[in-house]
Amino acid sequence: MPMGLSLKWCASALVLAGAAGSSAAWAQVAPAAGPAASKPDDAQGLQPAGQPDRVTGRRTYDAAWFATFAPATALQIVQRVPGFTIESIDPSLRGFGGAAGNVVVNGQRPSAKSDTLDTILSRIPAGRVVRVEVGPGDLYGAEFTGKPQVLNLVTSASGGLAGTLTGTVRRDYTGRLFPEGSASALLRSGKSTFNLALNITNQDSTQEGYDRVTALPSNELVEYRYRVNHYSQPQGALSGSWEYNDGANRTAHLNARAATNRFSLDQSNRVDRVGLARREDALIERYILDEYELGGDVTRPLAGGGIKLIGLATRRSRDNRDLSLIDLFGSNGPGPTGFSQSVNDHEAETLARLVWSRPGWNGWNVELGAEGVINQLRSRVDLFDLAVGGGRTRIDLPVDDATVREVRGEAFVNVGRALSPTIRLDGGLTIEASRLTVSGDVDAKRTLSFLKPKLVLDWRFAPGWRAQVSAQRTVNQLQFTDFISVAELGNDRVNGGNAQLVPQRSWELLGTLEHPILGDGLVRLEAGYTHISLVQDRVPTPEGFDAPGNLGDGTVVIVRARIEAPLKTLGVKGGRLTLYGSLVPTFVIDPYTLRTRPFTGNSIFYGSAEFRQDRGSWAWGVLAENATSSTQYRRDETDRGFRGLYTQVFAEWRPTKTSVVTFTLENALAKPSYRDRLFYAPDRTSTKPVSREYRRRDGFVVPALTFKRTFG
C-alpha cells in the first residue's frame, strides 16, 4: 500500500464502575410530587446536613444548604454535594439498563439517554430544587444496584414558570472571542411539567507546536515539523420533555432531542528534512454529526407494586471528510500529492424495557424485568491516494464497507432485604443473549449469551460508619465502529476492522468504606480487584495491520480515596477542600513481546485537589489535576500521551440572588501537552525502536466570563 500507513489506535479502555450490584429498596424513593412526598427516615425530621441516616445511610441536604454557592441550575447544586461526583456514561452505550449513571430526579431515572446527566440537570432551575438525597444504589432500583452512592434530586411541586439563562465568552491567545450560551424554561401546571431547553457551545482554539523525528539509537534529527492547528467545534441541541405525575406508580414521561455537531480542523505544517528541501503540508478535517432521539415511559400500579414500560428510539448520522496534502507548493515536483478519506455511517437503536417492582413483599424488595434492543450500524469508508494533478486511486481497506446488526434481549431479577437494622443484603441475576451479524466486505454471524450475577453486602457497623462489599460479573459492550477499518491521516496510520471481536467478561470485587468528617464533610476509601477474560485491546491482523481484538486474561487493581472537608472549624470561614486520588494498575500479556504490560489507554494514576471559599456575595477557588501517561500498544509502535499539571482559577460575584458573574482562567499555568511515539521494525517483536516522533503542543491560558440569571 503506497501510503505506508500503520493501524489507527482504538483503545479498549476499561470503565470501572466503582461498585457491584444491590437490589432496589425503592420504598424509600421520593415520588415526583414535591417536598412532602418523600418522608425522611428520621421521624423527627430531616437529619443534619451530611449526616447519614441511622437506618438507610442516606445523607440529606436541603436547598438552604446550597444558598452560599448561589447556584443557578440543579447541576451546580449537584456539583457542590460533598463526596459526590456525577458518573460519566458514554451516550453511545447500547441499551437502557447499562447506561443508568448515578442520578435520579424525584426517585426516577431520566428516560432520555442521549443527553448526559450534566445536560439534564442544567435544564432544571435551582429554585425548583427542594433538597438533595445521597444514598446507596439499592434505594433507587435495579439499574443502580451496587453503586456506592446515587443522588436523588427532589424538586418542588409548586406551579408556575421558572428558567435559567447562561452566557459565556472565551478568549483564545490570538485575541479572538467565542460566545456560547444556553436557555431553559420549566413550566408546571397541575399534574404536568413541561421543559424546553436550547444549548449552543462554541469550542474554538488555535494551537501551536512541533514534531521532532529522530533516528534511533543515534538520536540524529531526521525531520522537524512546525505545526499550527485551528480547531472549531460549534454544537447545538434542542430538547423538550413532558412529565405527568398523579402520585406513586402513576407517572408518564415523554422526551425528544435534536442535536448537531460540526467539527473542523485546519492544520498547516512546515516540514524541515535533513538534507532535503523544506516542504509545506496541510491537513483539513470536516466532520458532521446529527442526532435525534424520542423516548418516554409510563408507570402504572400492578400487583401491589408498579410496572413501567420504557421505549426509546435514537438515530445518528455521521459524515467525515479528511484531506492530507503533501508538498503544497511542489518543492519536490510539479504539485502536491496526498490522501483523502470520506466516512459515512448511520446508526439506529430501538429498544423497549418492561420493569415490575414491589417493595416490602414478605420483607423483600423485588424487581423483575426484560429488555429488547435492535441496533444497526451501516458504514462506508472511501480512502484515496491523490496523485499530482488530482488523479485519485482508491485504496481498499479490510472491512471498509459493512453493516453491523445486533438483536439483543435480557431478563433480570433483583431482590434485597435488611438482615438487621445495620446489615442489608442485595443480589440479582441477569440473563443476556444476542445475535450479532456483520455483512458487506465480510460475512460473520454469532450468537452470544451470558449469565451476570451480582451480590452486595452493606453494613453500618458503627455510628457514621458504612462499609460495602460487592461482587459481580460484567460483560463489556462491543463498539460497532471497531468492526470497520478507517485511516487516521493526521497520524499516518490505519485502524483495521475486526469482524471477529467478542466482548470481554469480568469478575469484579470491590470494597467501600466511608465516614463523615468535620460536620458535613466526608471520607471515602475504595479497594477492588477485577479478573478479566478475553481482554479487549489491540491484536495483529493477517493483512499486516493491527485492530481491536481480544487478548488473554487480565487483571485490574483499584485503590481510590476521596476527602471532602469543610474548613470552618479549622479557621477558614466558607472554605472547602476536596482531594481525590485514583490508582488503577492493569496487567495483561502483550501478544508481541509476551511480557506483562498495562492495558492500552490505561492511565495508572489520577489525582485532583480543589479549594473553594464562599464569602457572602463573593467566592473564589482553584482546581489542580494531573494524571500519569497512557500508552497505545500498536503493531509497530507505542504511542504515549501525557500533559502538564492542569489548573483552573475562578472568581465569582453575585450582584443579586438570581444572578451570578464568574471569571475563569482555564489552564492557568499554560501547561503544554506531549506525545511520544516509538516505532519498531518489522513490529514490536523487536524490542529496540528504530525511530522516534516526539510531539509538543503549547498550552495557553484561556480566560472566560460567564453570566447566569434565573427567574421564577
Side-chain angles (χ1 to χ4, degrees):
M1 187 172 67
M3 189 162 74
L5 298 173
S6 58
L7 292 171
K8 176 187 175 188
W9 162 67
C10 181
S12 166
L14 177 65
V15 177
L16 299 168
S22 79
S23 104
W26 47 102
Q28 321 275 358
V29 167
S38 177
K39 297 294 184 182
D41 302 298
D42 188 337
Q44 303 303 314
L46 296 175
Q47 66 264 23
Q51 299 303 306
D53 178 80
R54 63 175 180 267
V55 177
T56 66
R58 176 187 294 161
R59 295 179 285 126
T60 302
Y61 304 85
D62 61 21
W65 190 87
F66 300 97
T68 184
F69 306 114
T73 67
L75 174 62
Q76 293 167 324
I77 286 179
V78 172
Q79 290 172 335
R80 300 265 63 88
V81 174
F84 183 81
T85 301
I86 297 175
E87 184 178 335
S88 297
I89 298 295
D90 183 357
S92 67
L93 193 67
R94 300 187 303 281
F96 196 77
N102 61 348
V103 175
V104 295
V105 180
N106 296 317
Q108 298 193 45
R109 174 187 169 184
S111 56
K113 200 180 83 166
S114 293
D115 278 333
T116 64
L117 288 172
D118 287 34
T119 301
I120 293 170
L121 293 172
S122 68
R123 298 200 298 254
I124 302 175
R128 291 287 178 166
V129 178
V130 175
R131 66 178 179 276
V132 170
E133 303 168 347
V134 182
D138 58 86
L139 297 176
Y140 302 106
E143 292 100 334
F144 309 100
T145 299
K147 292 182 182 290
Q149 54 178 354
V150 170
L151 183 144
N152 180 31
L153 188 80
V154 181
T155 61
S156 170
S158 60
L161 179 66
T164 301
L165 298 173
T166 302
T168 298
V169 176
R170 287 184 173 84
R171 180 187 184 275
D172 76 355
Y173 84 99
T174 66
R176 295 180 305 160
L177 301 178
F178 303 101
E180 61 184 33
S182 64
S184 65
L186 185 147
L187 174 65
R188 185 176 180 91
S189 178
K191 299 176 182 179
S192 292
T193 301
F194 303 89
N195 189 288
L196 185 65
L198 174 66
N199 185 67
I200 298 174
T201 61
N202 189 19
Q203 300 181 35
D204 202 302
S205 65
T206 301
Q207 184 185 72
E208 296 183 44
Y210 65 84
D211 302 348
R212 192 173 187 273
V213 181
T214 56
L216 297 177
S218 66
N219 206 33
E220 294 180 357
L221 182 66
V222 175
E223 189 171 280
Y224 182 90
R225 313 172 190 138
Y226 171 72
R227 293 190 170 182
V228 178
N229 299 325
H230 176 68
Y231 297 93
S232 177
Q233 191 171 9
Q235 301 178 63
L238 178 64
S239 57
S241 65
W242 166 73
E243 175 189 7
Y244 177 82
N245 190 328
D246 194 23
N249 294 323
R250 295 184 182 275
T251 62
H253 299 84
L254 181 66
N255 54 269
R257 178 180 184 268
T260 186
N261 184 323
R262 302 290 190 266
F263 171 83
S264 67
L265 165 66
D266 293 285
Q267 179 185 97
S268 61
N269 304 313
R270 187 187 67 209
V271 184
D272 292 312
R273 299 166 293 169
V274 175
L276 297 173
R278 173 176 289 178
R279 195 180 72 211
E280 300 286 342
D281 299 343
L283 175 66
I284 301 170
E285 295 179 349
R286 298 291 185 267
Y287 297 168
I288 299 174
L289 175 64
D290 295 320
E291 299 178 287
Y292 304 93
E293 181 177 280
L294 179 65
D297 62 69
V298 59
T299 306
R300 288 293 179 267
L302 178 67
I307 187 166
K308 174 184 281 192
L309 176 64
I310 303 167
L312 189 71
T314 302
R315 302 292 183 265
R316 296 184 181 92
S317 177
R318 181 172 60 149
D319 183 8
N320 290 359
R321 308 281 172 170
D322 297 78
L323 177 63
S324 175
L325 296 176
I326 301 171
D327 199 12
L328 285 172
F329 304 110
S331 59
N332 294 324
T337 60
F339 303 93
S340 71
Q341 178 179 257
S342 66
V343 179
N344 291 276
D345 62 35
H346 302 273
E347 291 184 81
E349 178 180 51
T350 305
L351 69 84
R353 183 177 179 89
L354 188 66
V355 183
W356 175 77
S357 58
R358 179 174 175 179
W361 190 12
N362 296 321
W364 292 87
N365 293 312
V366 180
E367 186 167 67
L368 307 171
E371 178 177 287
V373 188
I374 300 175
N375 290 281
Q376 180 170 291
L377 170 67
R378 175 72 181 92
S379 180
R380 179 177 175 85
V381 178
D382 290 297
L383 177 63
F384 293 94
D385 186 350
L386 305 181
V388 175
R392 303 197 308 169
T393 302
R394 192 178 191 278
I395 301 173
D396 286 326
L397 299 175
V399 200
D400 60 8
D401 187 0
T403 298
V404 185
R405 192 171 190 269
E406 178 191 50
V407 179
R408 182 175 60 82
E410 69 175 32
F412 58 87
V413 57
N414 293 277
V415 297
R417 69 174 302 163
L419 304 181
S420 76
T422 59
I423 300 176
R424 179 176 179 81
L425 180 67
D426 294 273
L429 178 66
T430 298
I431 303 173
E432 176 186 316
S434 62
R435 177 66 171 172
L436 189 66
T437 61
V438 185
S439 58
D441 288 344
V442 295
D443 199 6
K445 299 178 181 179
R446 55 187 174 275
T447 299
L448 303 169
S449 61
F450 304 99
L451 289 176
K452 299 185 291 185
K454 53 191 174 184
L455 189 68
V456 177
L457 182 66
D458 199 282
W459 182 25
R460 294 168 184 84
F461 56 90
W465 287 93
R466 172 175 169 253
Q468 185 185 85
V469 178
S470 60
Q472 69 172 345
R473 188 185 191 225
T474 63
V475 178
N476 264 33
Q477 200 172 89
L478 297 177
Q479 296 297 318
F480 283 1
T481 51
D482 287 345
F483 291 80
I484 311 298
S485 300
V486 64
E488 197 174 83
L489 301 186
N491 293 308
D492 190 35
R493 63 191 184 194
V494 168
N495 176 32
N498 184 0
Q500 306 305 321
L501 183 66
V502 297
Q504 70 181 27
R505 57 283 326 243
S506 310
W507 284 101
E508 301 176 2
L509 179 67
L510 187 82
T512 303
L513 181 67
E514 64 179 40
H515 187 266
I517 60 170
L518 300 176
D520 53 26
L522 186 73
V523 173
R524 178 182 297 109
L525 304 175
E526 294 178 298
Y529 176 83
T530 300
H531 176 79
I532 303 175
S533 301
L534 299 173
V535 172
Q536 290 175 220
D537 206 283
R538 308 293 305 185
V539 299
T541 70
E543 296 85 4
F545 302 120
D546 70 352
N550 298 97
L551 304 181
D553 291 349
T555 56
V556 181
V557 177
I558 306 166
V559 179
R560 290 192 286 254
R562 182 182 181 94
I563 301 174
E564 183 143 353
L567 303 180
K568 180 179 179 180
T569 57
L570 302 180
V572 184
K573 185 178 180 180
R576 297 188 73 87
L577 178 66
T578 302
L579 302 175
Y580 176 79
S582 174
L583 183 67
V584 186
T586 58
F587 308 90
V588 70
I589 299 296
D590 187 277
Y592 297 95
T593 66
L594 302 182
R595 298 174 180 174
T596 300
R597 64 159 172 84
F599 294 175
T600 283
N602 177 65
S603 179
I604 294 177
F605 175 78
Y606 167 81
S608 67
E610 181 180 8
F611 172 79
R612 177 185 177 111
Q613 186 177 27
D614 290 87
R615 298 297 302 268
S617 61
W618 291 90
W620 73 282
V622 59
L623 166 70
E625 62 180 8
N626 207 351
T628 54
S629 63
S630 64
T631 302
Q632 319 303 323
Y633 295 91
R634 306 183 61 87
R635 180 184 64 86
D636 61 353
E637 71 168 288
T638 58
D639 185 353
R640 185 171 66 96
F642 54 101
R643 64 171 300 167
L645 178 70
Y646 175 82
T647 54
Q648 184 181 94
V649 180
F650 83 91
E652 196 169 83
W653 176 46
R654 304 147 190 170
T656 69
K657 292 183 178 180
T658 59
S659 58
V660 180
V661 179
T662 305
F663 178 72
T664 306
L665 292 179
E666 301 171 5
N667 194 21
L669 296 180
K671 293 296 185 179
S673 59
Y674 305 89
R675 197 166 162 190
D676 196 4
R677 302 173 70 186
L678 296 176
F679 296 90
Y680 301 78
D683 54 37
R684 285 194 301 106
T685 56
S686 172
T687 58
K688 294 184 178 180
V690 297
S691 64
R692 180 188 188 191
E693 180 189 277
Y694 183 79
R695 298 186 180 186
R696 173 191 162 114
R697 299 294 179 263
D698 292 336
F700 300 99
V701 179
V702 179
L705 186 65
T706 300
F707 175 76
K708 302 172 186 175
R709 177 67 184 267
T710 62
F711 61 89

